[in-house]
Amino acid sequence: MVESEITLLSRLPGGVNAGAMRVEVAGRADAVLKAAPRTHSEQLRETWRAQKVVEHMRGLGYPTPAWLGVGATTTHVWHLMDFVDAVPAQELTTSLAEQLIQINALQAGQASEPHDHWSYAWRVVTGQEATVAGLSGYSSAVSALVERLLLACANLPPPPRAPDMVHADLNPSNVLTRGGVVVAVVDIENAGSGTRATDLVTLQWHTFHDPMDGVRSRLWTKILDLVGWEWAAALVATQILLQLDWRIRRADGDAVAEVVHRGHVAFDELDARR
């Protein structure tokens, strides 16, 4: 808990799900305050869990800002962390992808909190999560893609133990850079355990533009080496289904069409590596 006076300085870019404010804390340098609306009873406990993941990974050299405090009001759950003087990546480049692949390697064998993203992915692709329910009713194109994804994952057994730390949202907007160098990975609130291939799949989702074919091929190889074809298919399917759910809830028809197209391309590439 932070008991010092906090002065709001400015709003930071990003923060679709939670507001991010640059603040000044009495007696120390600038910091960042993030507050998310309370949506469920375990939210504060989950934020404490993320703080433990941050502390553990920072001890291994993982580049994420230190958390200074966690708390809640009647309407929001918040955390305070160090300010990093850098900007979110506009898009994934070859250089950034290579740096993030190296950062991802730090996650190997570092599961420290029992928040299993691998089991969650299994529940998504086997139809046990509400995320999938209702997606097919959006359009025939979405229905065809969902059917393809679920068919590829039919009869998939539960995953093995969850050995790695998983960021769970490793997209360019959560990567802070300075001069083309990754200086911080942020938005770690949903971090937990699983396979680090989950984060490599997220990275790969952002390589479907020129000139990223070489990086995407390298990511395919790493993902398949880590989890094999069946689980690669399940993790990619989870990424696509969550992207569809997010875009449909935002009523962004053009983005839904792009997810459908990219989803088929991703599975075509994966099928070619079977």
Side-chain angles (χ1 to χ4, degrees):
M1 191 71 168
V2 176
E3 298 180 353
S4 302
E5 180 180 348
I6 296 177
T7 303
L8 301 180
L9 299 177
S10 61
R11 184 176 180 86
L12 294 171
V16 173
N17 297 314
M21 299 291 297
R22 185 174 179 179
V23 300
E24 185 178 272
V25 182
R28 63 162 296 121
D30 292 348
V32 174
L33 177 67
K34 290 195 69 177
R38 275 193 134 157
T39 57
H40 57 280
S41 61
E42 292 298 305
Q43 194 168 345
L44 179 57
R45 187 182 300 276
E46 292 170 357
T47 306
W48 282 331
R49 179 203 72 228
Q51 184 177 33
K52 292 179 182 178
V53 174
V54 167
E55 291 171 352
H56 174 71
M57 293 305 297
R58 279 177 56 81
L60 301 171
Y62 192 83
T64 196
W67 283 26
L68 310 175
V70 171
T73 67
T74 56
T75 59
H76 287 74
V77 174
W78 59 264
H79 68 273
L80 190 70
M81 62 184 176
D82 276 337
F83 172 75
V84 177
D85 187 13
V87 296
Q90 295 300 307
E91 66 176 7
L92 194 64
T93 65
T94 298
S95 174
L96 291 179
E98 296 291 349
Q99 294 174 62
L100 290 167
I101 289 170
Q102 294 301 313
I103 290 169
N104 177 265
L106 296 173
Q107 302 171 208
Q110 296 303 324
S112 60
E113 294 296 317
H115 182 57
D116 189 346
H117 290 283
W118 206 350
S119 292
Y120 173 73
W122 175 70
R123 294 195 302 273
V124 168
V125 299
T126 54
Q128 300 177 58
E129 288 287 333
T131 302
V132 180
L135 290 181
S136 294
Y138 180 81
S139 69
S140 59
V142 168
S143 179
L145 177 58
V146 170
E147 182 178 0
R148 179 183 186 184
L149 301 179
L150 297 185
L151 182 62
C153 302
N155 302 316
L156 183 72
R161 67 183 184 89
D164 304 333
M165 175 268 189
V166 176
H167 179 287
D169 194 15
L170 193 60
N171 70 76
S173 68
N174 292 335
V175 176
L176 303 186
T177 67
R178 188 187 310 121
V181 176
V182 175
V183 295
V185 176
V186 297
D187 280 8
I188 204 168
E189 293 95 309
N190 198 35
S193 61
T195 170
R196 62 192 178 96
T198 297
D199 291 331
L200 296 178
V201 166
T202 304
L203 280 182
Q204 188 184 61
W205 185 254
H206 295 276
T207 63
F208 285 88
H209 59 85
D210 293 333
M212 299 293 286
D213 288 353
V215 170
R216 190 164 69 258
S217 178
R218 184 180 172 197
L219 283 166
W220 274 130
T221 299
K222 283 190 166 291
I223 293 163
L224 290 166
D225 285 348
L226 284 171
V227 296
W229 193 92
E230 289 76 13
W231 268 107
L235 295 176
V236 172
T238 300
Q239 173 72 219
I240 296 167
L241 291 167
L242 295 179
Q243 289 284 341
L244 283 172
D245 177 62
W246 172 243
R247 303 305 183 184
I248 289 172
R249 286 191 287 112
R250 288 175 63 85
D252 190 340
D254 289 343
V256 171
E258 173 60 24
V259 171
V260 170
H261 171 72
R262 193 182 302 183
H264 281 297
V265 171
F267 251 74
D268 288 345
E269 291 184 354
L270 184 56
D271 278 339
R273 290 166 170 79
R274 192 164 191 170

